[in-house]
Amino acid sequence: MSAKLRVAVIGAQGRIGSEAARAVAAAGDLELVAALDRDDDLGALVEAGAQVAVDLTHPDAVMGNLEFCVRNGVNAVVGTTGWTDERLAELRGWLAESPATGVLIAPNFSIGAVLTMRFAAQAARFFESAEVIELHHPNKADAPSGTATRTAQLIAQARRAADLPPQPDATSTALPGARGADVDGVPVHSVRLRGLLAHQEVLLGDQGETLTIRHDSLHHSSFMPGILLGVRRIVSTPGLTYGLENFMDLD
Ligand SMILES: NC(=O)C1=CN([C@@H]2O[C@H](COP(=O)(O)OP(=O)(O)OC[C@H]3O[C@@H](n4cnc5c(N)ncnc54)[C@H](OP(=O)(O)O)[C@@H]3O)[C@@H](O)[C@H]2O)C=CC1
Ligand SMILES: O=C(O)C1=N[C@H](C(=O)O)C[C@H](O)C1
């Protein structure tokens, strides 16, 4: 029998991190060797011999954690949000100096959310208009969600590839925020509501018809198969992988 993969979770006291630590501990081929949270010494990752660290912390914390992991050759699976082009460039710089190390950044680990992004990108070129509505619990730190931002970017990319013009919108007077955040020309609207977990609708419209693609994460368990898939695959995937779809053999 091959040795178990040695996995650490950073943010292990959090909503998703605590569930991820349990899922890793319960997986027969994985061993939870460290469960860190705020103020814990990252050196514990190295002392524990972690091969993969799962980061589920906060946009303010993730860059420091990743710099430590990459510089110490610890592969990382990242669910934490807050990614910008500048942050990705900085991460690529660290990875260039540690070419055997792999980092997966997954805007969403749930299979249905990954498929929503894929379907939205496929549908985008057939519709004049597209808008994204994301709905989350009120404890969420960032808006729009990482998933909604990525969805809008993929829609925009598909619209550009199809040479679609900007979306029609005659709004000439509006309260600030009424038309949502503009992500690459795609409006994204954020709802924060007690009782919700993580939900998203992609609305596409054209003459006489609309298409709505909706996904609901009803429990934190929806993210666990994707996290475990990422952990198992990242150890043999050096460099930066952006999006769980890269490990899902979708094509
Ligand atoms: N990609 C995906 O599929 C998913 C991504 N997420 C993302 O994961 C992140 C965490 O979400 P959630 O679990 O709801 O948030 P929580 O606030 O519940 O959990 C975050 C945990 O990380 C801790 N933390 C903060 N800073 C550090 C640090 N520097 N080092 C170690 N631990 C730290 C927090 O401590 P403290 O409470 O003291 O601040 C807290 O225990 C968010 O960015 C969220 O958007 C969430 C769900 C799915
Ligand atoms: O904070 C959350 O809860 C979630 N965050 C991720 C995001 O911002 O897209 C993934 C999922 O929506 C849950």
Side-chain angles (χ1 to χ4, degrees):
M1 207 180 87
S2 55
K4 292 186 179 187
L5 198 54
R6 300 172 68 77
V7 182
V9 175
I10 315 177
Q13 302 289 322
R15 280 179 289 273
I16 308 298
S18 54
E19 187 96 13
R22 277 192 292 277
V24 168
D29 58 333
L30 309 179
E31 183 181 357
L32 182 69
V33 296
L36 309 183
D37 206 82
R38 183 188 287 279
D39 298 334
D40 287 337
D41 181 3
L42 290 171
L45 296 177
V46 178
E47 281 162 32
Q51 294 165 278
V52 184
V54 179
D55 190 292
L56 293 159
T57 59
H58 189 281
D60 292 345
V62 66
M63 290 303 279
N65 294 342
L66 274 184
E67 181 173 12
F68 179 91
C69 287
V70 173
R71 292 203 190 286
N72 286 279
V74 179
N75 302 290
V77 168
V78 182
T80 309
T81 44
W83 289 97
T84 59
D85 289 345
E86 293 72 27
R87 284 181 165 217
L88 289 171
E90 201 172 356
L91 171 58
R92 282 197 182 92
W94 301 330
L95 283 166
E97 292 170 20
S98 183
T101 307
V103 173
L104 166 68
I105 296 173
N108 203 307
F109 287 111
S110 93
I111 306 303
V114 173
L115 292 175
T116 299
M117 288 185 257
R118 171 60 66 108
F119 297 156
Q122 281 177 332
R125 72 187 164 96
F126 298 104
F127 291 87
E128 187 179 58
S129 305
E131 306 212 5
V132 179
I133 306 172
E134 56 95 341
L135 311 90
H136 280 82
H137 57 90
N139 298 316
K140 184 165 177 56
D142 54 315
S145 71
T147 308
T149 302
R150 183 67 183 146
T151 306
Q153 289 168 342
L154 291 169
I155 290 170
Q157 204 174 299
R159 290 178 63 89
R160 274 194 300 274
D163 270 335
L164 292 191
Q167 305 199 36
D169 182 355
T171 308
S172 59
T173 166
L175 288 177
R179 292 291 292 116
D182 181 330
V183 179
D184 281 1
V186 177
V188 179
H189 310 269
S190 297
V191 176
R192 297 291 175 265
L193 204 66
R194 185 74 61 201
L196 296 179
L197 179 56
H199 317 258
Q200 177 164 290
E201 280 190 6
V202 181
L203 291 82
L204 301 131
D206 212 303
Q207 295 290 336
E209 64 174 327
T210 66
L211 170 65
T212 302
I213 306 170
R214 181 174 173 111
H215 174 257
D216 299 275
S217 266
L218 303 171
H219 189 266
H220 297 146
S221 56
S222 63
F223 305 113
M224 297 307 128
I227 291 176
L228 298 185
L229 173 64
V231 165
R232 292 178 178 123
R233 293 287 297 272
I234 199 61
V235 281
S236 54
T237 316
L240 176 61
T241 301
Y242 197 91
L244 188 70
E245 62 275 19
N246 293 289
F247 292 162
M248 285 172 60
D249 303 325
L250 289 182
D251 298 313

